[in-house]
Amino acid sequence: MALLAPALLVGAGMLVPFVYLLARAAEADAGTLAALVLRWRTLELVGNTLKLAACVAALGTLIALPLAWITVRTDLPARRLFGYLAVMPLAVPGYVMAYALIGLSGYYGPLNHVFGLTLPRLQGLPGATLALSLYTFPYLYLNLRAALLGLDPSLEETARSLGRSRANAFCTVTLPHLRPALLSGWLVVTLYVLGDFGGVALMRYETFSFAIYNQYAGAFDRVYAACLSLMLMALAGAMLMGEGWLSRRRRFGRTGTGVPRAAEPVPLGRWRWPALLFCGLVQLASLGLPFFVILFWLGRAPAEIDWPALGMVAGRTVLAALPSALFAALLALPVALLAARHRGPLAALAERLSYFGYAVPPLAFALAAVFFALSAAPFLYQTLPLLMLAYAFSFLALAVGPVRSALLQMGQRPEEAARSLGRGPLSAFAGATLPRLARPLVAGGLLVFIVVVKELPITFLLAPTGYTTLSMTIFSRTNEGMLLEAAPYALVTILFSSLFVGLIMRHEGGRH
Amino acid sequence: MKTLLLSGLAGLSLCLAAGTAAAADLTIYSGRGEAFVAPVIEMFETESGLDVEVRYAGTAELAALLQEEGAKSPADLFWAQDGGALGATDKLFAKMPAHVGQNQPEHFKSADGKWIGTSARARVIVHSPERAPADTLPKSVLGLTDAAWKGRVGWAPSNGSFQSFVTALRVKEGEEAAKAWVDGMVANGAKAYRNNVALVQAIADGEIDAALTNNYYLGRFKGRDDKFPVEQRFFADGDIGNLLNVAGVGILETSDSKEAAERFAAFLLTPAVQQYFTSSGNEYPVIKGVIPNATLTSVATVETAAPNVPLDQLSDLPGTLELLRSANLL
């Protein structure tokens, strides 16, 4: 039970913002608060937020599930390349994606500029759904891909040998095994939607986060914002509970003897072209579009690019993101172990708490960290370590996911075998399990790294004064309508993160 | 090896962070955009030999942060977008020394010497010359609630300058009238945007026909593209919609570099900097003797157009936020 200590420490870290928000909310006068919170507007915000979450999860699945199956299970040419490209949208900041979609139409948009087309601009629910789906579907894709790779093909083959069609075998055998991956993917995507501000603000769709941001950025009122944040967290909490209830412990580890093989690729035959077209379209929309728009801006940039400044900003971004990612991966290990191996309320709590940080709107998380540092650790205030801590706690769930899946699929047999050969618990874990966790750990860490590079609200509030990062520069320049000046920074962000996406693909669990 | 490399990196970044935090002689919180402020900071650093760090964010956001930080704030000086925000935070400010702001008119600074205006700007209506020609625009901002403007007007409720205007409306026309106007705008389908840049862009993109912004935003677009299809003008003289406001600075009571902060405040009022605000920023100078910007309406016109509302009376920001919130705008 040595695991419990670090895992619960993680939980305690997660609770700091919660305590902060409660303390803030408690300052309010009960009457005014009730009037503010219990009104039609709140209900409207809840409705909007849930609608968006459902739409994004649905559209994301429609994109990610076929994509994962095609790139893992078929003989599609260049499927490895498509697999890499499918994860790259993670590198596109949400505000850039939304800008690209909006920037297509409009007076300065390439459509008007090059083709003389004026389209009605994307906005509201459809616009927000599209923008968010296009850069969150890789979370689903990664989860599904890992599950498909780790699935023992003999299950499906057994079903086929009993006379079932391929489609039937997929629906009755494979799909149920993808359930945990789908659920945790939906959870991550939903939490992302709950916390996203950049994309929804640009699309002028009023969700909870948007309202909270308006409270912080456009008002002095931190009390009301704290109340909204608490409501949003309750919403996120409900999602967490729901996911936990839906994916109640089942066995997904193999129980048979022998080693799982890689599945035989399904020959596509004449379905090859629709499959290619589908992959191409997805990538054109999620990657081609932002790239195209950024290059379009770059092409029209009047001034010289200030390379030294760009280099310095990029360097700072990396120096803040790397240690955070490392720290998140370290913290993820005990939490994932607990979640995968132990039953009981404490283990479940620790795991759910690791998602908590992800569920707290980043803005509230950042203000909580400010409050915490000012009241409990002034020496940390506006320092890089505090920023890194906030990053790590906020995105811990991303690092926990891959490790947990790997542990579940591995089952405990290898370790039990090592124990039966006379090794102690630690030695058995280090010898049999840890080496096979290296890949998912690195993958999780890289995921955190990428998300940190493009993260905005936490960076804005917690970065030491004068420590400008890529995301801050992009946002402040686009905010001032300086799209051209923001372009090189956006391009560097995307290229840079793309490199790491390639690394993730290399380190993903699955084939051993 | 990898671990070694990574821990080395972590160590290096910590040193870097410590370096950035400790080295600055002056720390400024700026609600004004980096694009506009950075050149001024560079000029000041060259001239004074001091090392300046700036924290950029929204004006209201920084005001909230300053309140949160209280006595522990590392900030020496707050550069805000509008007089209302300065008024709302002036409890945190030390008195400006008498020699700073001597050369500027009284109506550009606070009466009790807590803050000084550094550049002036006017509220205007920007419009599409095709879809909303000048002769169809209302004489008063209050006329935008007419049915003729249904769904055609944009505004930015979370923007500090807009909020200052609403405060001025409450001061001049009374609470009831202000609330009636805000509710009327909402009922008339006014579209909310993020900020002033987005408003001007939305007119060019054909989403709306007119919007309420500050006078200097259009100039930025026109400066890059003189065919940009948007124009701007004032309402009738004295109308509250033409509010004349200032961006300004206050020095924090808790600052441990008050002298450097005072130097910076004084520097902002030197003719060279005022000329930059006017020529490059399309704003109005707050001292005499600056060559006017040829693309702007003259100072005399602005002064004539402006309503008579002292900036010191615009500090009831909480009341305005209350009003905007009750209309579900925040």
Side-chain angles (χ1 to χ4, degrees):
Chain A
M1 281 290 84
L3 282 178
L4 265 182
L8 287 177
L9 177 78
V10 168
M14 291 296 171
L15 287 175
V16 167
F18 186 62
V19 171
Y20 158 80
L21 293 170
L22 275 178
R24 275 273 168 245
E27 289 173 14
D29 166 68
T32 20
L33 201 59
L36 270 175
V37 172
L38 304 171
R39 54 178 179 156
W40 182 246
R41 160 98 167 160
T42 309
L43 209 58
E44 189 184 40
L45 290 174
V46 173
N48 280 354
T49 309
L50 290 178
K51 266 193 296 199
L52 182 62
C55 290
V56 172
L59 185 58
T61 310
L62 286 178
I63 298 173
L65 187 58
L67 203 60
W69 188 77
I70 291 171
T71 53
V72 173
R73 280 299 180 80
T74 68
D75 64 348
L76 188 79
R79 64 178 191 279
R80 280 193 72 88
L81 174 72
F82 279 122
Y84 275 111
L85 290 175
V87 192
M88 284 218 190
L90 280 181
V92 182
Y95 38 95
V96 172
M97 187 69 88
Y99 251 110
L101 286 169
I102 293 169
L104 267 181
S105 51
Y107 178 73
Y108 277 133
L111 287 180
N112 183 26
H113 207 80
V114 184
F115 308 109
L117 276 172
T118 38
L119 292 174
R121 96 168 220 176
L122 270 167
Q123 53 184 9
L125 183 58
T129 300
L130 197 59
L132 282 151
S133 303
L134 282 179
Y135 69 93
T136 56
F137 82 83
Y139 292 120
L140 272 161
Y141 172 83
L142 276 174
N143 268 315
L144 290 168
R145 184 173 181 275
L148 280 170
L149 281 172
L151 203 60
D152 191 340
S154 55
L155 290 168
E156 226 172 310
E157 285 159 13
T158 310
R160 295 289 313 272
S161 70
L162 294 169
R164 297 197 174 189
S165 72
R166 195 182 287 285
N168 184 309
F170 179 82
C171 291
T172 53
V173 177
T174 312
L175 215 49
H177 274 85
L178 293 181
R179 218 172 97 142
L182 267 177
L183 281 171
S184 64
W186 283 337
L187 181 67
V188 167
V189 168
T190 303
L191 293 179
Y192 204 98
V193 172
L194 294 189
D196 179 82
F197 156 72
V200 289
L202 285 169
M203 289 294 178
R204 301 184 42 238
Y205 186 67
E206 300 201 336
T207 61
F208 244 114
S209 273
F210 184 66
I212 292 168
Y213 184 83
N214 273 341
Q215 289 308 314
Y216 279 130
F220 287 120
D221 200 322
R222 286 154 296 156
V223 175
Y224 177 51
C227 295
L228 283 176
S229 301
L230 283 171
M231 285 194 272
L232 182 55
M233 279 161 61
L235 208 59
M239 301 283 166
L240 289 177
M241 306 251 294
E243 199 258 357
W245 183 75
L246 285 172
S247 59
R248 265 178 317 210
R249 308 264 159 234
R250 306 166 168 225
R251 291 204 60 132
F252 291 105
R254 297 174 66 249
T255 51
T257 49
V259 187
R261 296 165 290 108
E264 279 301 309
V266 176
L268 280 171
R270 38 194 181 97
W271 285 97
R272 176 176 303 175
W273 299 112
L276 266 176
L277 185 72
F278 173 78
C279 293
L281 269 179
V282 168
Q283 261 123 41
L284 197 70
S286 60
L287 286 174
L289 177 76
F291 256 117
F292 168 65
V293 173
I294 289 172
L295 289 175
F296 175 77
W297 290 335
L298 267 181
R300 302 179 64 229
E304 282 286 291
I305 296 173
D306 184 355
W307 290 109
L310 185 60
M312 194 164 79
V313 170
R316 281 177 178 165
T317 309
V318 178
L319 283 175
L322 255 183
S324 315
L326 213 62
F327 187 50
L330 277 179
L331 283 177
L333 190 59
V335 175
L337 269 170
L338 258 184
R341 297 241 173 128
H342 296 278
R343 280 145 216 258
L346 267 180
L349 181 74
E351 190 215 355
R352 298 285 123 189
L353 277 176
S354 76
Y355 279 95
F356 200 64
Y358 199 70
V360 179
L363 209 59
F365 202 96
L367 257 166
V370 167
F371 175 81
F372 159 78
L374 284 170
S375 54
F379 57 90
L380 270 181
Y381 184 58
Q382 283 195 11
T383 62
L384 217 40
L386 183 67
L387 177 67
M388 292 170 187
L389 275 173
Y391 279 150
F393 275 110
S394 189
F395 298 121
L396 184 59
L398 292 178
V400 172
V403 182
R404 187 183 75 148
S405 310
L407 279 168
L408 281 175
Q409 284 196 326
M410 211 183 294
Q412 304 209 33
R413 296 233 156 182
E415 212 169 313
E416 283 162 6
R419 291 295 302 276
S420 70
L421 293 171
R423 292 221 189 173
L426 267 181
S427 150
F429 172 74
T433 308
L434 201 55
R436 300 171 71 184
L437 287 183
R439 281 164 171 271
L441 268 175
V442 173
L446 284 171
L447 204 51
V448 173
F449 178 87
I450 287 177
V451 177
V452 165
V453 164
K454 59 178 201 173
E455 201 283 334
L456 201 62
I458 293 180
T459 317
F460 249 117
L461 268 122
L462 295 181
T465 298
Y467 195 90
T468 31
T469 65
L470 286 167
S471 61
M472 284 162 88
T473 312
I474 297 167
F475 188 77
S476 60
R477 292 188 181 191
T478 43
N479 218 8
E480 291 179 54
M482 301 163 57
L483 303 186
L484 310 178
E485 290 82 351
Y489 289 82
L491 192 65
V492 166
T493 304
I494 294 185
L495 287 177
F496 191 66
S497 305
S498 305
L499 286 177
F500 284 87
V501 171
L503 284 174
I504 288 190
M505 300 302 287
R506 269 198 47 208
H507 280 282
E508 231 203 326
R511 295 171 198 275
H512 295 292
Chain B
M1 182 62 226
K2 217 188 234 173
T3 328
L4 197 68
L5 189 74
L6 285 173
S7 42
L9 266 177
L12 184 65
S13 57
L14 291 188
C15 298
L16 257 182
T20 49
D25 303 308
L26 177 65
T27 303
I28 297 172
Y29 279 14
S30 172
R32 309 216 55 189
E34 181 167 10
F36 180 77
V37 169
V40 180
I41 303 287
E42 264 172 51
M43 276 158 73
F44 179 72
E45 282 183 317
T46 320
E47 195 157 313
S48 65
L50 295 174
D51 179 38
V52 183
E53 287 293 1
V54 190
R55 188 170 196 85
Y56 297 99
T59 290
E61 210 173 333
L62 286 170
L65 191 63
L66 283 168
Q67 288 170 11
E68 188 78 71
E69 287 170 349
K72 299 195 186 85
S73 178
D76 302 307
L77 180 129
F78 180 30
W79 192 349
Q81 274 282 24
D82 65 281
L86 288 163
T89 19
D90 71 2
K91 286 180 290 300
L92 304 172
F93 294 153
K95 253 188 148 39
M96 277 280 169
H99 67 89
V100 179
Q102 260 177 326
N103 53 348
Q104 68 175 168
E106 289 301 318
H107 63 270
F108 285 144
K109 56 187 172 190
S110 83
D112 53 5
K114 286 289 190 84
W115 54 266
I116 53 157
T118 51
S119 56
R121 66 281 295 283
R123 298 286 299 171
V124 293
I125 180 166
V126 282
H127 62 103
S128 157
E130 291 92 36
R131 300 185 306 276
D135 56 343
T136 63
L137 297 175
K139 295 273 174 291
S140 164
V141 68
L142 301 177
L144 288 174
T145 53
D146 289 351
W149 292 99
K150 196 159 185 63
R152 297 171 61 201
V153 185
W155 59 357
S158 60
N159 173 266
S161 301
F162 171 80
Q163 291 169 356
S164 266
F165 151 73
V166 175
T167 312
L169 184 66
R170 290 169 51 222
V171 168
K172 191 156 178 271
E173 308 285 334
E175 296 291 339
E176 304 248 318
K179 184 165 173 42
W181 180 77
V182 169
D183 290 344
M185 289 290 283
V186 173
N188 213 13
K191 293 183 180 164
Y193 283 81
R194 224 167 49 259
N195 59 20
N196 291 308
V197 172
L199 284 171
V200 177
Q201 185 66 54
I203 294 178
D205 293 347
E207 292 167 35
I208 45 176
D209 299 341
L212 301 169
T213 72
N214 290 343
N215 73 287
Y216 51 90
Y217 288 97
L218 183 58
R220 295 184 192 173
F221 284 92
K222 291 272 194 195
R224 272 185 242 154
D225 169 12
D226 52 16
K227 289 196 288 297
F228 193 75
V230 181
E231 298 298 333
Q232 70 183 31
R233 59 182 296 124
F234 285 121
F235 297 99
D237 284 354
D239 187 71
I240 194 71
N242 308 337
L243 181 73
L244 184 61
N245 203 334
V246 293
V249 296
I251 296 170
L252 288 147
E253 186 61 74
T254 54
S255 161
D256 47 12
S257 324
K258 283 206 180 68
E259 198 192 332
E262 285 162 15
R263 271 178 77 177
F264 184 76
F267 173 77
L268 292 181
L269 296 183
T270 53
V273 178
Q274 288 291 313
Q275 191 66 62
Y276 164 80
F277 288 162
T278 309
S279 311
S280 304
N282 299 310
E283 289 184 85
Y284 292 100
V286 292
I287 59 168
K288 298 266 180 296
V290 175
I291 305 159
N293 178 331
T295 63
L296 293 186
T297 345
S298 74
V299 176
T301 316
V302 175
E303 300 263 3
T304 320
N308 181 19
V309 182
L311 291 177
D312 266 324
Q313 292 182 13
L314 302 186
S315 60
D316 183 25
L317 188 56
T320 293
L321 296 174
E322 190 70 34
L323 168 61
L324 294 176
R325 217 173 280 131
S326 72
N328 289 342
L329 290 166
L330 288 178

